[in-house]
Amino acid sequence: ARGRLSADSNLCYGEGGAGTWSDGKLTTRIGRNSNEVREVLKTLVHFGAPDRILVDGKPHLGTDNLVRLLKGFREELVSLGAVFKWEGRVESLMKTDGHISGVRLAGGEEICADAVILATGHSCRELYHQLHDLGVRLEPKDFAVGFRIEHPQPLINRAQYGEYASRVGKRGDGALPAASYRLATTVADSPDATDNAAATDDANSNDDTNNGNNNAAAAAAKSPSAAERATKEWRSTGTDGRGCYSFCMCPGGQIVPTS
């Protein structure tokens, strides 16, 4: 039977938010061996994440681990005195003497506090309007616009492994893992600028299925000479133009509807 979508309670909200049902890639571009990143990884392992994320080149948790980790986080916070207000949507902010003094929930309950930390996630347009009405200074920031592209997994395997693509296996039981790739390009503002692309072979993957739903911004065939040439052009472009890059590549993954 088809259910009716609740605007306040669905898989995009609740404990962990929409990210709970992602595949749990631990992607960072700030240096995965920095002290701060290592501390996060160690904390995840402490709460039940597989310890291989400490050494994997592309650490990956998996949805099943994410759900278990969130429960562990919550139990730790409760033991330290935190209180969770389930189905407690914030209706408005309370203001006293020019300062935010608490929140008012949709059910009418008022919670007073010396400090209010906003972790709004997405779909919080009304709250931003309230902040503006309360005189809070808001600043726009840069953002990236993304989209999904799906490729048949055998296509990427052939592009990356060539004659060895058949060794991937059906469900990760082959000698090679499902292949992946990365792509980066600069799109210059001037019409006569060169489109500079750099593709890298990236066949290591923690996903071991072969269902062929790969999410990325674009695809490139394996070509060492083209990659070398594109890398040189990329470096010479500098900061002129807009960057376009693949972000979340899910080799062999499955798409799960969340609405």
Side-chain angles (χ1 to χ4, degrees):
R2 180 178 293 274
R4 186 173 299 229
L5 178 66
S6 171
D8 292 334
S9 179
N10 54 63
L11 288 181
C12 288
Y13 298 91
E15 191 171 31
T20 307
W21 307 104
S22 72
D23 66 344
K25 283 187 176 63
L26 302 177
T27 303
T28 176
R29 288 174 171 79
I30 62 175
R32 65 177 308 274
N33 288 319
S34 66
N35 292 333
E36 293 82 1
V37 173
R38 297 295 296 176
E39 188 63 28
V40 171
L41 296 177
K42 290 178 181 178
T43 301
L44 291 172
V45 171
H46 172 74
F47 283 99
D51 56 8
R52 67 172 183 272
I53 67 173
L54 298 174
V55 295
D56 283 350
K58 298 172 66 177
H60 173 222
L61 289 174
T63 303
D64 52 344
N65 285 320
L66 283 173
V67 174
R68 184 168 59 251
L69 282 169
L70 283 171
K71 292 180 179 179
F73 292 156
R74 186 211 319 149
E75 292 171 356
E76 175 76 3
L77 291 171
V78 170
S79 70
L80 296 173
V83 176
F84 286 78
K85 292 283 187 179
W86 304 111
E87 299 183 359
R89 177 171 59 85
V90 173
E91 182 71 23
S92 61
L93 300 172
M94 299 188 301
K95 185 178 181 180
T96 304
D97 297 329
H99 299 281
I100 300 299
S101 57
V103 297
R104 183 176 295 107
L105 304 185
E109 180 182 0
E110 294 185 351
I111 302 176
C112 298
D114 296 328
V116 175
I117 299 175
L118 298 179
T120 54
H122 66 61
S123 305
C124 57
R125 184 185 301 255
E126 294 86 354
L127 185 55
Y128 284 126
H129 281 299
Q130 290 183 34
L131 292 173
H132 180 268
D133 294 339
L134 289 170
V136 177
R137 183 168 60 92
L138 302 176
E139 295 181 355
K141 67 176 183 178
D142 294 336
F143 62 92
V145 177
F147 57 92
R148 180 194 302 273
I149 294 179
E150 300 176 23
H151 307 295
Q153 185 63 55
L155 173 68
I156 306 302
N157 292 340
R158 289 194 299 271
Q160 298 292 58
Y161 293 139
E163 62 181 299
Y164 302 104
S166 60
R167 300 188 182 184
V168 172
K170 295 296 183 181
R171 295 190 60 84
D173 54 354
L176 294 173
S180 64
Y181 65 86
R182 290 182 297 170
L183 183 77
T185 184
T186 295
V187 181
D189 294 330
S190 57
D192 58 346
T194 303
D195 182 23
N196 308 311
T200 60
D201 295 339
D202 196 355
N204 296 324
S205 169
N206 293 314
D207 298 278
D208 55 6
T209 60
N210 192 35
N211 296 308
N213 294 321
N214 301 306
N215 309 330
K222 180 180 178 182
S223 176
S225 59
E228 291 173 358
R229 182 174 64 255
T231 300
K232 181 179 179 181
E233 293 172 346
W234 164 266
R235 291 173 179 171
S236 64
T237 300
T239 58
D240 183 26
R242 298 176 181 270
C244 181
Y245 51 91
S246 59
F247 177 72
C248 181
M249 170 72 181
C250 303
Q254 293 181 325
I255 297 176
V256 180
T258 61
S259 63

